[in-house]
Amino acid sequence: MAKHETKHFRGKVIKIFILITILPLLIVSISNLYLVIITRQKNISEYQHLALDNAGEKVLNYIDEKSDGLNLIISSPIGSLHSLLAKDTLFLLINSFETSRPNNLDFIDKQGNLMARIDKNRNIAFNRLYIDELTSREEVGGETDNFIKENNIGTISVVEGNVFGIPDYKTAIAGEQYIGSQEFVNDKPVIRMASPIKNEKDEIIGAASAEVSLDNVDNIIKQMKLGGEGYFYLVDNNGRVVGSSNDKLVKIASNLINVQFVNKLIKGEYVEKENLNNFNITEKNTIIAGKKIDKINWSIVSEWPIKDAFDVIGNIMLLSVIVTVVVLMLIVVLGIIFTRQIIKPINTLSRGAKEISQGNLDYKISLETGDEFEMLGSKFNEMVKVLKENRKLRDEFVFIAAHELRTPVTAIKGYLSMVLEETFGPVPPDIKKNLDIVNSSNERLVRLVQDLLEVARSEAGKMKITKKELLIASNVETVVNELKSLSDKKGIKIIYEKPDKKAAVQADEFKLKEVLTNIIGNAIKYTLKNGDIKIWHEKQDGFLVTHIKDHGIGMTKEQMEKLFSKFYRIQTEQTTEIEGTGLGLFICKEIMERMEGDIWAESEAGQGSTFCFKLKIVNNG
Ligand code: ADP
């Protein structure tokens, strides 16, 4: 029972300890991890959008560079391109061409007529009207021819055409920069750009329009990376891929207009930094973000595989798991130490309480914890001191009472036996019958007084033991004979297996008989009827063990716990009718200890009991 309670308490302490240490630790660790993930998500989003801004800027710079050559301001007040000298027109054409490096470049007059054109091979074409004007101004030949030679110009031919209704011209002549949509010429992305040509008075006198190759945009995008595996791609306003840094997954010239994210982005429905989008364009879980480059109406998209984006978190997680496990182990070790420290004084107290409850009033609880436990221990000791004093008083009282009772009860016994033996004259049968009852009650009183005195003597250390060498068998036989009338009355057979050889032990004969009478007497008393009693001896390590086995009512383990204590009687329905003082076994134990022997019992309720005592063997023969 006590053991069970201790276990229970330890469990409680451990549970509380876990609750106040491990649980908060786990909560902190998990929320920390959660925070790390959230922060990383935010960082990824910010980083991705920053990279997109950067990519957009690079694309814009590239476009600006391309269109730079088209922004012409002529430092003269001329009102029409036609007024330009042939030499100047050629100079401007070559200069613009060198700056923008287009596929071809056109100068268009205010009316929308193509006035001059230069192509990749530096072949020049002039409008017939302009050639006529130049001829009339006698500009053909001479300086112009020299310029043509010096600047490595190819053929000179004629160009015809009017682009009045065409958007590049219309936008540029209205003073705006024109950037057309991307087209593919021979599978190469190209774009048309146009800018106004102004005179020094800032008046628009014509337009420069060029078809620019976008090969280099692709190069710009190709170099862009995000983390280890993230990539970018550029789509035009029709959803066509202009450039990609992952050509395997996103192919140039493919159309992504049907991809939901791209569609939303082009239509301007995507809110930047809206949140993370998990998107499956590449059948890989990626974080996708995009940005529209307003000036050119293109969009740049970046995709970052989740695994790669969160790669860094793996290390953080591993580290925090290791730290958590180490801390948990530390807590468990500390918990065990801590629980032991709490349990230790409780164990000391319960051990003390057990000793005291078993009658050991000399036991002292020593606790030096310097806290309430130590106080409790000393209170326990004080309590035991009071108990001890009370016990001493009680023993003294019992001894005095028994001592004072002995003389009168012995006198009564003597006189009664004389009356019953009719020493004082004949006794009528009905009086004799009543006197028999008085006599047997007095017998019980005499036995009780004797037992009480014996106990008192033993406790005061005054029990007299005179050990001598004696044969146990004859003593057993004597006692069995003395008790025969009792056993016969109940129909109990006593079977005594005498030792083969004479076994002599070291004992006090009178006391040995007292022990035998008590135990064999009990065996008869606690066998309700019929049931053999078997007595035998056994040699064990220099001792002679005597076994007395009955087939009586038996006892349970719990009932046997205090079997050899003073005044202990087992109270059951079966024992209420049986007379006794509860002192017999206590006296037997005292006697045995004083004779350097021992006594013990084995029993099972309803199956009978075996009482055993051992005494030192003197003569092995
Ligand atoms: P008592 O005078 O009551 O017999 P004892 O000290 O001799 O006192 O025995 C103590 C108690 O042990 C008894 O009251 C009885 O309940 C139990 N007991 C002793 N011997 C036996 C036995 N052989 N079988 C069953 N119970 C026994």
Side-chain angles (χ1 to χ4, degrees), residues 518 522-523 525-526 550 553-555 563 568-570 575 579-586 609 611:
N518 238 314
N522 276 350
K525 232 171 31 170
Y526 297 104
D550 64 52
I553 58 174
M555 294 167 278
L563 195 62
Y568 178 70
R569 301 207 69 216
I570 298 165
T575 57
E579 281 175 6
T581 59
L583 289 171
L585 289 179
F586 174 76
S609 317
F611 278 79

Side-chain angles (χ1 to χ4, degrees), residues 188-214:
K188 295 243 158 98
V190 293
I191 184 177
R192 180 148 292 278
M193 291 178 178
S195 288
I197 301 173
K198 294 178 178 171
N199 64 12
E200 67 172 14
K201 287 191 226 156
D202 210 28
E203 291 164 347
I204 296 161
I205 55 170
S209 172
E211 185 191 270
V212 178
S213 162
L214 289 180

Side-chain angles (χ1 to χ4, degrees), residues 135-418:
T135 318
S136 72
R137 292 202 309 251
E138 293 182 343
E139 271 192 54
V140 179
E143 267 186 66
T144 311
D145 284 348
N146 280 344
F147 186 89
I148 289 169
K149 267 180 214 151
E150 278 166 21
N151 286 285
N152 222 0
I153 286 171
T155 60
I156 303 273
S157 58
V158 176
V159 67
E160 294 285 341
N162 191 293
V163 292
F164 195 78
I166 304 208
D168 55 336
Y169 161 76
K170 270 180 30 190
T171 313
I173 217 73
E176 297 282 321
Q177 191 181 37
Y178 173 82
I179 296 168
S181 30
Q182 175 208 228
E183 283 165 36
F184 282 85
V185 175
N186 300 333
D187 258 355
K188 295 243 158 98
V190 293
I191 184 177
R192 180 148 292 278
M193 291 178 178
S195 288
I197 301 173
K198 294 178 178 171
N199 64 12
E200 67 172 14
K201 287 191 226 156
D202 210 28
E203 291 164 347
I204 296 161
I205 55 170
S209 172
E211 185 191 270
V212 178
S213 162
L214 289 180
D215 277 359
N216 265 336
V217 162
D218 187 25
N219 277 342
I220 291 171
I221 304 291
K222 238 181 217 158
Q223 285 155 17
M224 291 177 181
K225 263 181 117 185
L226 203 54
E229 292 171 26
Y231 47 86
F232 290 84
Y233 50 90
L234 189 64
V235 291
D236 69 8
N237 55 345
N238 295 317
R240 257 179 109 150
V241 178
V242 181
S244 162
S245 68
N246 189 342
D247 202 32
K248 270 189 206 150
L249 296 172
V250 186
K251 292 218 166 2
I252 294 207
S254 59
N255 199 314
L256 303 180
I257 195 71
N258 290 328
V259 173
Q260 203 191 357
F261 180 82
V262 177
N263 197 294
K264 248 176 125 182
L265 189 63
I266 290 171
K267 284 188 192 154
E269 287 167 10
Y270 165 72
V271 183
E272 208 175 290
K273 293 180 187 172
E274 190 179 48
N275 212 331
L276 294 172
N277 295 280
N278 288 341
F279 184 73
N280 244 6
I281 188 173
T282 58
E283 289 182 11
K284 249 182 173 185
N285 257 352
T286 60
I287 301 160
I288 189 165
K291 182 186 161 70
K292 198 160 180 175
I293 309 169
D294 285 330
K295 193 171 171 188
I296 52 173
N297 230 351
W298 292 355
S299 301
I300 178 114
V301 182
S302 88
E303 282 186 42
W304 200 352
I306 286 176
K307 206 174 145 269
D308 181 48
F310 283 95
D311 205 23
V312 60
I313 286 205
N315 293 336
I316 295 173
M317 273 178 158
L318 189 75
L319 199 76
S320 69
V321 166
I322 290 172
V323 169
T324 311
V325 168
V326 168
V327 174
L328 275 179
M329 271 156 62
L330 216 75
I331 285 177
V332 168
V333 171
L334 282 177
I336 291 169
I337 296 170
F338 173 71
T339 314
R340 259 196 207 153
Q341 282 219 313
I342 288 187
I343 300 290
K344 216 172 144 191
I346 293 174
N347 279 346
T348 310
L349 280 171
S350 83
R351 215 179 308 126
K354 195 177 171 192
E355 283 284 334
I356 292 157
S357 72
Q358 282 171 352
N360 181 4
L361 297 188
D362 291 323
Y363 190 84
K364 269 221 150 46
I365 291 171
S366 69
L367 267 177
E368 279 165 24
T369 51
D371 53 19
E372 283 86 345
F373 282 121
E374 190 178 327
M375 234 162 74
L376 193 62
S378 71
K379 288 269 177 270
F380 240 91
N381 289 338
E382 279 171 32
M383 202 171 74
V384 173
K385 214 170 135 193
V386 174
L387 272 176
K388 211 172 156 185
E389 275 165 16
N390 283 346
R391 187 162 82 173
K392 203 178 152 214
L393 279 174
R394 188 198 64 195
D395 290 349
E396 275 171 11
F397 169 76
V398 170
F399 180 72
I400 291 165
H403 197 261
E404 292 304 312
L405 276 171
R406 193 174 59 171
T407 320
V409 291
T410 321
I412 293 169
K413 185 181 168 179
Y415 279 109
L416 264 177
S417 65
M418 281 199 284

Side-chain angles (χ1 to χ4, degrees), residues 64-77:
D64 279 349
E65 241 171 57
K66 289 277 169 190
S67 64
D68 258 5
L70 305 180
N71 282 322
L72 294 174
I73 295 171
I74 293 159
S75 51
S76 97

Side-chain angles (χ1 to χ4, degrees), residues 560-590:
M560 284 173 73
E561 256 173 38
K562 291 182 178 172
L563 195 62
F564 295 96
S565 307
K566 222 187 317 178
F567 297 111
Y568 178 70
R569 301 207 69 216
I570 298 165
Q571 306 290 352
T572 64
E573 259 179 39
Q574 285 173 310
T575 57
T576 42
E577 294 289 309
I578 303 170
E579 281 175 6
T581 59
L583 289 171
L585 289 179
F586 174 76
I587 292 169
C588 289
K589 180 116 183 145
E590 295 285 306

